[in-house]
Amino acid sequence: MPSSKKFIIDFDSTFTQVEALDVLGEISLKNDPKRAEKIQAIKNITDLGMEGSLNFRESLERRLDILEASKPQISELISELKTKVSKSFQRNKEFFEENADNIIIISNGFKDFITPIVGEYGIKAENVFANEFIYDDAGKIIDFDRENVLSKNGGKSKTIKTLNLEGDIYVIGDGYTDYEIKESGLANKFYAFTENVERPKVTSKADHIAPSLDEILYVNKMNKKFSYPKSRINVLLLENVHPIGVELMKHEGYNIEVISSALNEEELAEKIKNVSILGIRSKTNVTKKVLENANRLISIGAFCIGTNQIDLETCTEKGIAVFNAPFSNTRSVVEMAIAEIIFLMRGFHDKSHGMHKGIWDKSASGSFEIRGKKLGIVGYGNIGAQLSVLAENMGMDVYYYDVIEKLALGNATKIDSLDELLKTCDVISLHVDGRKDNKCLIDKSKIDLMKKGSYLVNLSRGHVVDIPALKAALESGHIAGTAVDVFPHEPKNNDEPFASELIGMKNTILTPHIGGSTLEAQQNIARFVPGKIMEYINTGNTYNSVNFPNIQLPFLRDAHRLIHVHQNEPGVLAKINQILASYNINIVGQYLKTNEKIGYVISDIDKAYSPEMIEAMKEIPGTIRFRVLY
């Protein structure tokens, strides 16, 4: 049923993500030699007007003078603006269609481009109040209708007053002129819409700051798309997650908090209480104690490859889906491994260090090509396999060992035991995961097996190598050099000091856990992990989850999606279907997958659900988590 509430909605930077005249400037000034300068001037004038620092009439006149636009360019503008409708408005198109009689678009922009855009959302042309361009015979914009009250200061309030609206009236907008409607006593509430732009002078006047339309519909009990608005989803991002990841989640409408460093167990246990999504890198440990306080946590994103810093078992028991970035920084780590192997075998690190001290040591002693040398890769996963290909292309003979059967790439040779690999190869490069079983995988006994004068590279996990044993092997000359990027104990942030027994050792390259720290890798990770989390929250898709049964779901159309996470025990699916049948609900699609711990059932239904049905689903024995989408 349509609501009796009336919504007055701004257009620029509210209905659309952009200011239309700014976009028109980019179109009309395309070939102008002073294009950049003029476009910036238009944006500056827009901002001054939106903040209330410049009166509207003057703002409009100054922008149109710069634009020099024409009617054909308005058509281009409409096409562009159709792709720029605010994301939360796109998600809630049904709201506009169902409440078309009660939605009024009021804008200091122009009907010429506004009506075609909002019309696609069911909003009636007679409910659009805006300015109108005046064109000459050649179609050039030469002026605007100066009699239109919306071309004058205070025009929005004057327009609304003439409509004599009854009932509850809510204003949604991002500008000071939108607030003026409420200030004039013509509306019950002013929602400062901040999905696209946030203006402090405007938000300070708001009855409610709305990061998305979902939030407004939720507080007015009109939310049909999501069982919980995205603006109520609190996201905590630690350890300098790349800004792309932060912006993606902000753009989705989530409430974001960013902390540059890791948090210790006590700090995180306190901070996590109201968090729905947690994003970390390698230094933050998500322990059982932390998770016991995480009653709202839906998902964890590891913005890295490893997940050993997360208690996955407890996450699974609590129905928390964990996602990582298994491929995103592979190339960066591999390039670093190749570089370090070359540096070690040529002694570049010590030569460079000596030069900085004024020592000229020109000598070929202890300096070797990598071509023809035997590389032993421990762990033939994504990184190990790609290192294998690149090293072989550079002329190395590649051997590998993995506890899981892996297909050899190129001419790589599989070795059946770690001991044999260590005895065989000139360079050992470690690429294993962080499981507890790998602690001190390379201990004194294993180092003793390595060829005298060989090299060790560790870009995997700090606890994989016995550091005192490695130091002793370097001192004795048994190991000719090492490159270590990961350590058993690492500083939580850049302000803490670094300590290691390897400091000052000969031909020893130490780096601060930067194997994946390239711009390309961090950008890839920052896109991949939020994408997986948002897909999980929006659709229930668990593909690439570390701890959940992996289900890749079809796109949902004309249905509601019920997500049921439960302990893996017999009969749960039957109970779900019995409840749906008892409420005469038809299933249009159903998907079930389990692992050793949990079952994950997705049920798509074609009928509106009742609160009683939802409660019955939650009461099924063994239920861990239940969610409704759409």
Side-chain angles (χ1 to χ4, degrees):
M1 288 289 291
S3 168
S4 61
K5 296 175 180 176
K6 292 181 172 59
F7 292 90
I8 299 169
I9 304 176
D10 180 40
F11 183 77
D12 290 300
S13 294
T14 298
F15 201 99
T16 57
Q17 302 167 34
V18 293
E19 292 285 329
L21 292 188
D22 293 354
V23 179
L24 181 57
E26 292 175 359
I27 295 170
S28 68
L29 299 167
K30 186 162 40 181
N31 299 316
D32 193 301
K34 294 185 177 180
R35 179 176 182 269
E37 180 184 327
K38 289 183 176 182
I39 288 173
Q40 188 58 54
I42 292 169
K43 290 180 178 177
N44 292 342
I45 295 166
T46 299
D47 288 339
L48 289 171
M50 295 304 289
E51 290 175 355
S53 303
L54 181 68
N55 75 60
F56 175 71
R57 173 64 73 101
E58 185 180 352
S59 164
L60 185 55
E61 290 172 340
R62 287 168 59 179
R63 283 181 289 170
L64 288 182
D65 284 344
I66 299 171
L67 281 168
E68 298 181 359
S70 61
K71 188 171 282 188
Q73 291 164 342
I74 298 300
S75 298
E76 285 186 60
L77 174 63
I78 291 168
S79 297
E80 181 67 19
L81 291 180
K82 284 181 179 179
T83 70
K84 300 292 185 182
V85 173
S86 295
K87 296 293 185 183
S88 64
F89 281 52
Q90 292 180 41
R91 288 196 294 267
N92 292 286
K93 192 173 184 179
E94 185 180 345
F95 159 74
F96 294 102
E97 294 169 345
E98 289 188 358
N99 296 277
D101 290 335
N102 295 318
I103 295 174
I104 295 166
I105 301 296
I106 185 158
S107 173
N108 295 126
F110 291 81
K111 283 186 180 182
D112 308 60
F113 52 77
I114 294 175
T115 302
I117 305 297
V118 302
E120 293 197 348
Y121 284 72
I123 297 171
K124 300 175 180 178
E126 58 264 32
N127 282 3
V128 176
F129 297 88
N131 285 295
E132 293 180 80
F133 290 124
I134 294 176
Y135 304 89
D136 64 14
D137 293 341
K140 183 179 179 182
I141 296 171
I142 56 173
D143 205 350
F144 53 89
D145 180 2
R146 291 177 179 265
E147 297 304 312
N148 188 328
V149 70
L150 283 164
S151 73
K152 302 172 184 178
N153 301 328
K156 286 189 177 182
S157 298
K158 291 172 186 174
T159 301
I160 295 301
K161 193 171 184 178
T162 64
L163 297 178
N164 295 315
L165 300 175
E166 296 180 355
D168 294 330
I169 299 169
Y170 302 136
V171 179
I172 304 170
D174 67 288
Y176 197 85
T177 55
D178 303 306
Y179 160 68
E180 287 177 336
I181 299 171
K182 164 69 188 304
E183 186 184 36
S184 300
L186 297 169
N188 298 72
K189 281 188 178 180
F190 167 54
Y191 292 95
F193 188 77
T194 60
E195 181 173 323
N196 305 311
V197 62
E198 186 169 343
R199 308 180 199 276
K201 287 186 179 180
V202 178
T203 55
S204 66
K205 301 290 187 181
D207 296 298
H208 193 109
I209 297 173
S212 68
L213 183 61
D214 306 307
E215 169 76 8
I216 297 168
L217 299 186
Y218 179 76
V219 298
N220 285 285
K221 298 181 169 56
M222 300 176 71
N223 190 306
K224 297 187 109 181
K225 277 288 185 187
F226 299 96
S227 57
Y228 199 67
K230 297 186 177 186
S231 56
R232 302 272 167 132
I233 293 179
N234 295 325
V235 179
L236 176 62
L237 300 176
L238 306 178
E239 302 184 65
N240 281 325
V241 167
H242 193 279
I244 287 176
V246 179
E247 285 306 311
L248 282 172
M249 290 187 152
K250 277 186 180 176
H251 198 63
E252 189 72 4
Y254 300 149
N255 182 32
I256 312 290
E257 181 179 1
V258 177
I259 297 176
S260 60
S261 66
L263 297 180
N264 63 35
E265 187 178 56
E266 292 296 329
E267 292 168 333
L268 187 55
E270 180 61 30
K271 199 76 176 172
I272 199 118
K273 290 177 181 177
N274 293 313
V275 170
S276 305
I277 299 169
L278 175 66
I280 64 168
R281 292 173 73 184
S282 57
K283 292 186 179 68
T284 300
N285 290 306
V286 185
T287 63
K288 187 178 184 69
K289 178 179 177 178
V290 168
L291 293 168
E292 284 170 353
N293 287 346
N295 294 323
R296 290 182 59 184
L297 197 61
I298 301 169
S299 181
I300 298 174
F303 285 72
C304 52
I305 294 176
T307 55
N308 61 295
Q309 71 277 38
I310 302 169
D311 185 338
L312 294 177
E313 186 173 345
T314 302
C315 283
T316 305
E317 291 170 357
K318 289 177 68 71
I320 299 164
V322 179
F323 297 90
N324 68 337
F327 318 109
S328 300
N329 66 1
T330 299
R331 177 70 184 204
S332 296
V333 177
V334 168
E335 286 187 5
M336 184 167 174
I338 291 287
E340 291 191 327
I341 290 167
I342 294 171
F343 261 58
L344 290 174
M345 296 194 71
R346 296 290 298 275
F348 285 158
H349 174 69
D350 286 357
K351 298 286 188 186
S352 175
H353 191 62
M355 289 288 283
H356 280 284
K357 291 182 175 181
I359 300 171
W360 182 270
D361 181 19
K362 179 175 169 60
S363 169
S365 177
S367 183
F368 307 96
E369 290 183 354
I370 66 169
R371 182 176 52 176
K373 303 301 185 296
K374 295 178 179 177
L375 171 64
I377 300 172
V378 183
Y380 205 66
N382 298 320
I383 293 173
Q386 192 169 140
L387 174 60
S388 169
V389 173
L390 264 65
E392 185 179 324
N393 285 338
M394 296 186 74
M396 298 190 82
D397 298 328
V398 179
Y399 300 80
Y400 71 93
Y401 167 76
D402 200 299
V403 293
I404 299 171
E405 188 66 33
K406 295 287 181 70
L407 178 68
L409 299 181
N411 294 311
T413 302
K414 181 180 181 296
I415 300 293
D416 292 330
S417 74
L418 177 58
D419 288 1
E420 185 182 351
L421 186 83
L422 297 173
K423 293 175 183 176
T424 302
C425 296
D426 303 299
V427 182
I428 301 295
S429 192
L430 306 177
H431 301 284
V432 298
D433 61 32
R435 70 186 69 183
K436 293 178 182 177
D437 293 349
N438 285 333
K439 183 175 182 180
C440 288
L441 177 70
I442 306 299
D443 59 10
K444 184 180 184 303
S445 65
K446 299 300 184 188
I447 290 173
D448 287 346
L449 291 175
M450 291 175 64
K451 291 172 66 174
K452 182 174 175 57
S454 59
Y455 305 85
L456 178 65
V457 176
N458 185 16
L459 299 176
S460 60
R461 291 293 178 269
H463 66 254
V464 170
V465 176
D466 182 340
I467 297 298
L470 176 58
K471 180 184 179 183
L474 288 165
E475 288 175 330
S476 70
H478 182 68
I479 298 293
T482 188
V484 182
D485 187 49
V486 288
F487 303 87
H489 304 286
E490 297 181 359
K492 286 190 298 183
N493 55 53
N494 289 345
D495 295 326
E496 289 190 3
F498 166 69
S500 173
E501 296 174 69
L502 297 177
I503 292 175
M505 297 301 298
K506 186 179 179 183
N507 204 17
T508 297
I509 302 170
L510 305 180
T511 49
H513 204 148
I514 55 171
S517 296
T518 62
L519 182 60
E520 294 88 348
Q522 293 308 304
Q523 288 177 342
N524 290 338
I525 292 169
R527 290 188 178 96
F528 185 86
V529 176
K532 291 299 173 185
I533 291 174
M534 292 185 293
E535 197 175 349
Y536 170 63
I537 290 174
N538 292 344
T539 71
N541 201 328
T542 58
Y543 191 68
N544 283 129
S545 171
V546 177
N547 65 324
F548 265 41
N550 274 210
I551 295 181
Q552 193 159 14
L553 297 163
F555 187 76
L556 181 63
R557 295 182 185 277
D558 302 322
H560 306 284
R561 180 161 283 171
L562 312 179
I563 297 175
H564 195 277
V565 185
H566 55 270
Q567 294 169 8
N568 187 8
E569 52 189 48
V572 175
L573 181 61
K575 290 169 186 172
I576 289 172
N577 291 340
Q578 286 168 8
I579 290 171
L580 294 175
S582 69
Y583 284 90
N584 296 313
I585 292 175
N586 183 49
I587 299 171
V588 297
Q590 196 167 52
Y591 315 89
L592 165 67
K593 203 162 186 181
T594 63
N595 61 23
E596 65 277 7
K597 288 282 185 182
I598 62 171
Y600 190 66
V601 176
I602 308 291
S603 303
D604 292 346
I605 61 174
D606 62 0
K607 183 179 176 181
Y609 48 84
S610 67
E612 292 77 18
M613 185 274 285
I614 299 300
E615 289 306 311
M617 285 285 195
K618 291 178 179 178
E619 294 301 318
I620 294 174
T623 298
I624 296 172
R625 188 184 293 273
F626 180 76
R627 289 198 296 139
V628 181
L629 300 182
Y630 314 120

